[in-house]
Amino acid sequence: MTVHRPHSADAEPQAGPGTGTVRATSVRAPDRPASRPVRRRLFLPARLRIVGWCTLLLIVTLFSVGLAVRNLLQADAVRSVHDGLVQETREFLRVAESGRDPITGAPTVDAVQLMEGHLLRQYPHDGELLFGIAGDGRVLTQPDRPPSEAEQREVIAPIVAEAGEGGRLETSAGPVLWSSVRVVDDSGEPAGTYVIASEVTPHLASAEAVTRAVMIVSGGGVLIAALASWIIAGQILRPVNAVRKAAERITHEDLTQRIEVVGHDDVAALAMQFNAMLDRLEGAFRVQREFLDDASHELRTPITIVRGNLELLGDDDPAERAEVVRLCGGELDRMSRIVEDLLLLAKSEQPDFVSPRRTDLLELTTDVAAKLQRLGDRRWRIDDLPEGEAMLDPQRITQALVQLAQNAVQHTGPGDRIALGAVVRGPDVVFRVADTGHGVTPDDAEAIFQRFSRGATHGGSRGLHTGAGLGLAIVTAIAEAHGGRVELDSRPGAGATFSIRLPGAAGGAGDVPTDRIEGGAWTTS
């Protein structure tokens, strides 16, 4: 008796989801009246947005994991059914190839006896159906487990009619996988077929149960994660909320609010930067208030003088009218200079305040020297002269040196010495204006560089000089615009030396002897 080995049964169901098409219709909204106010967008706290996005990401991730687990379990269930069919087939093959009854050891006579004996000794699992098909078409079933009407109609009948080696059936109880073993007699003629069929649904039920358990546990995990993320987001955003609350409390009259910096993360860095910004704003507002107070005082004085003199102006005395006109003109000139200086200081905050270019240092110094000697009757002197070129704005540097020289003239008398010099020290260029006046006290050394400050000692009070106290502030602005600074070397009673140091401005420059300068009121060292 010969047995044909079957092909393997289908391992997976063949099913595909249906598809549909949804057509969206575009609807044009009516025109909004121009005067209608624009609605503000719904405000959502950052904490809620963070928790929402984290929760949504977690839900999508866990749903994807659950779907993947479900698919794997279903595939494993189908594979388990297939393995069961293979095992039952191999067991029948061993009995059929031996040609003897495994219990009595007696030889089998024909295929019907072989299949009936084998069916009698099998104990199928739930959802499993074993039967044989005799050569004459009779269906051989297990005596103690007759097939139901549904099994006969939906499983046995289609398999008998198909007479194949295996396949898949769709029944009311779900998909069924089956496999068969064909038995032939000694002459090679078909003598019968042994069939093993198994339902897939009972095996899929366990996969669905596991999937539901995973989803339930995942749902609980999502709730716990959302609560934890709400707490963590609150901790992370606490400094940000502190920044917001501090910003709400800040006004132009109160810039003293500061944020406590905790930790060393990005939020702590944000708090530090916010505090630094408040420091700069507080300083800027303080300088602005002081500037407005000083400017109003300086401009109020010439206006008061002009108004008072105009009120006293009469028509009878030409000499008196001329004197009033002279006084008013002088005050208006002084007020005009204050306004021009204020505009210059305001412009110093702009990026195009200076226009550096390659400038010949020797030519620049001699040009400045030619202009300074007209400022007053002093002993003008040149100490040092540089040679070469430097990157600077010659007009602004000239303006700064003239301002320093004018300041020296105001604090010296006829016959006093004022020296101009410029030296190259490595990559730096240093311009100097020195005098032999009364000098600057340590108390005034820093104050004189502030706007509207002229110092209060040794002749520097407001009553002795007509300047507005903006000269050294202008010099400082020019030096800082070049990336440099103004330095002061002075002792009371021993004169003062103001230096403008420009770092990195020199390029191949050096010093030359001062005897190359001739003429005018200048002397050389």
Side-chain angles (χ1 to χ4, degrees):
M1 188 175 298
T2 305
V3 180
H4 290 180
R5 297 180 180 271
H7 297 289
S8 61
D10 295 340
E12 296 183 0
Q14 303 296 323
T19 58
T21 302
V22 179
R23 177 173 298 175
T25 303
S26 176
V27 180
R28 185 176 183 272
D31 295 336
R32 179 182 295 176
S35 60
R36 185 176 179 180
V38 180
R39 293 183 178 180
R40 296 183 60 184
R41 298 179 61 184
L42 179 62
F43 174 76
L44 292 177
R47 186 178 187 180
L48 183 60
R49 292 201 302 270
I50 292 174
V51 173
W53 281 109
C54 290
T55 304
L56 178 61
L57 179 61
L58 185 59
I59 291 175
V60 172
T61 302
L62 292 179
F63 178 79
S64 301
V65 171
L67 187 61
V69 170
R70 179 176 179 270
N71 293 334
L72 291 175
L73 291 176
Q74 288 182 343
D76 186 68
V78 174
R79 190 181 305 108
S80 177
V81 173
H82 180 269
D83 293 342
L85 296 179
V86 173
Q87 180 180 357
E88 291 290 343
T89 301
R90 290 176 178 174
E91 184 178 350
F92 179 76
L93 287 174
R94 286 196 299 269
V95 174
E97 289 175 352
S98 67
R100 293 182 177 275
D101 190 303
I103 297 178
T104 63
T108 55
V109 177
D110 54 17
V112 174
Q113 182 183 4
L114 172 65
M115 290 186 289
E116 287 180 344
H118 187 74
L119 289 172
L120 187 61
R121 293 187 295 271
Q122 298 303 308
Y123 300 94
H125 302 291
D126 292 339
E128 192 176 50
L129 179 62
L130 307 177
F131 63 94
I133 304 174
D136 55 4
R138 289 184 299 117
V139 176
L140 309 175
T141 60
Q142 293 179 290
D144 55 346
R145 188 185 180 279
S148 64
E149 181 179 351
E151 290 176 334
Q152 291 179 356
R153 182 180 65 255
E154 297 180 353
V155 179
I156 297 177
I159 293 176
V160 172
E162 183 176 348
E165 295 182 349
R168 175 192 178 98
L169 298 175
E170 294 296 335
T171 67
S172 58
V176 173
L177 298 182
W178 63 278
S179 178
S180 66
V181 180
R182 184 177 300 176
V183 182
V184 297
D185 56 18
D186 295 336
S187 62
E189 294 297 328
T193 303
Y194 183 76
V195 180
I196 308 100
S198 179
E199 295 180 1
V200 180
T201 301
H203 298 269
L204 295 178
S206 60
E208 295 296 335
V210 173
T211 302
R212 285 193 298 270
V214 170
M215 290 299 181
I216 293 174
V217 174
S218 298
V222 168
L223 294 178
I224 296 175
L227 178 61
S229 62
W230 177 267
I231 298 174
I232 295 173
Q235 296 293 328
I236 295 176
L237 294 177
R238 180 178 298 175
V240 178
N241 292 328
V243 172
R244 178 180 58 81
K245 293 178 181 178
E248 292 176 352
R249 294 192 298 267
I250 292 172
T251 63
H252 68 282
E253 297 178 352
D254 182 15
L255 294 173
T256 60
Q257 296 291 332
R258 294 297 183 270
I259 301 171
E260 181 181 1
V261 179
V262 179
H264 303 281
D265 53 5
D266 294 339
V267 180
L270 172 63
M272 294 176 61
Q273 292 297 327
F274 189 82
N275 289 338
M277 181 190 68
L278 291 180
D279 292 339
R280 294 192 296 270
L281 287 176
E282 185 178 10
F285 274 88
R286 182 180 64 255
V287 172
Q288 182 186 42
R289 285 193 296 267
E290 295 175 354
F291 176 76
L292 292 176
D293 292 342
D294 292 338
S296 61
H297 179 273
E298 293 294 335
L299 293 177
R300 189 182 298 115
T301 300
I303 292 175
T304 302
I305 295 174
V306 171
R307 181 183 293 113
N309 282 278
L310 290 177
E311 291 175 353
L312 297 176
L313 182 63
D315 297 333
D316 299 332
D317 190 351
E320 181 180 353
R321 288 199 303 273
E323 180 65 16
V324 170
V325 170
R326 186 185 66 81
L327 291 175
C328 291
E331 290 301 317
L332 291 176
D333 290 340
R334 185 163 72 91
M335 187 166 57
S336 176
R337 288 194 300 271
I338 293 175
V339 172
E340 291 177 357
D341 290 344
L342 289 175
L343 292 176
L344 178 63
L345 287 174
K347 188 178 180 181
S348 67
E349 303 294 334
Q350 301 178 4
D352 59 346
F353 178 60
V354 295
S355 301
R357 64 175 185 268
R358 304 297 300 181
T359 303
D360 185 273
L361 294 176
L362 179 59
E363 180 180 354
L364 173 63
T365 307
T366 55
D367 289 344
V368 173
K371 298 174 182 178
L372 296 187
Q373 60 184 347
R374 301 186 181 92
L375 297 178
D377 182 16
R378 302 293 187 271
R379 289 190 299 117
W380 298 97
R381 172 179 171 178
I382 294 180
D383 283 341
D384 300 287
L385 284 175
E387 187 178 50
E389 295 181 341
M391 286 296 297
L392 50 83
D393 188 332
Q395 295 183 356
R396 294 300 185 193
I397 295 299
T398 299
Q399 185 178 12
L401 293 176
V402 170
Q403 189 65 58
L404 290 177
Q406 180 66 41
N407 185 70
V409 170
Q410 293 179 357
H411 291 81
T412 57
D416 285 336
R417 187 188 67 182
I418 300 177
L420 171 68
V423 295
V424 176
R425 294 177 179 173
D428 300 348
V429 177
V430 182
F431 296 92
R432 293 197 305 264
V433 174
D435 62 67
T436 56
H438 50 69
V440 180
T441 64
D443 295 336
D444 292 338
E446 295 184 3
I448 59 176
F449 290 97
Q450 304 297 325
R451 299 178 181 184
F452 299 107
S453 177
R454 293 183 291 252
T457 58
H458 297 284
S461 62
R462 296 180 186 267
L464 296 178
H465 297 285
T466 60
L470 295 174
L472 292 180
I474 293 175
V475 174
T476 302
I478 292 174
E480 291 178 350
H482 283 82
R485 63 182 183 274
V486 180
E487 301 172 344
L488 171 62
D489 182 12
S490 177
R491 294 187 301 276
T497 299
F498 289 87
S499 302
I500 301 176
R501 180 180 294 274
L502 307 180
D511 297 335
V512 297
T514 55
D515 55 10
R516 292 178 58 178
I517 304 301
E518 299 179 354
W522 290 91
T523 61
T524 59
S525 56

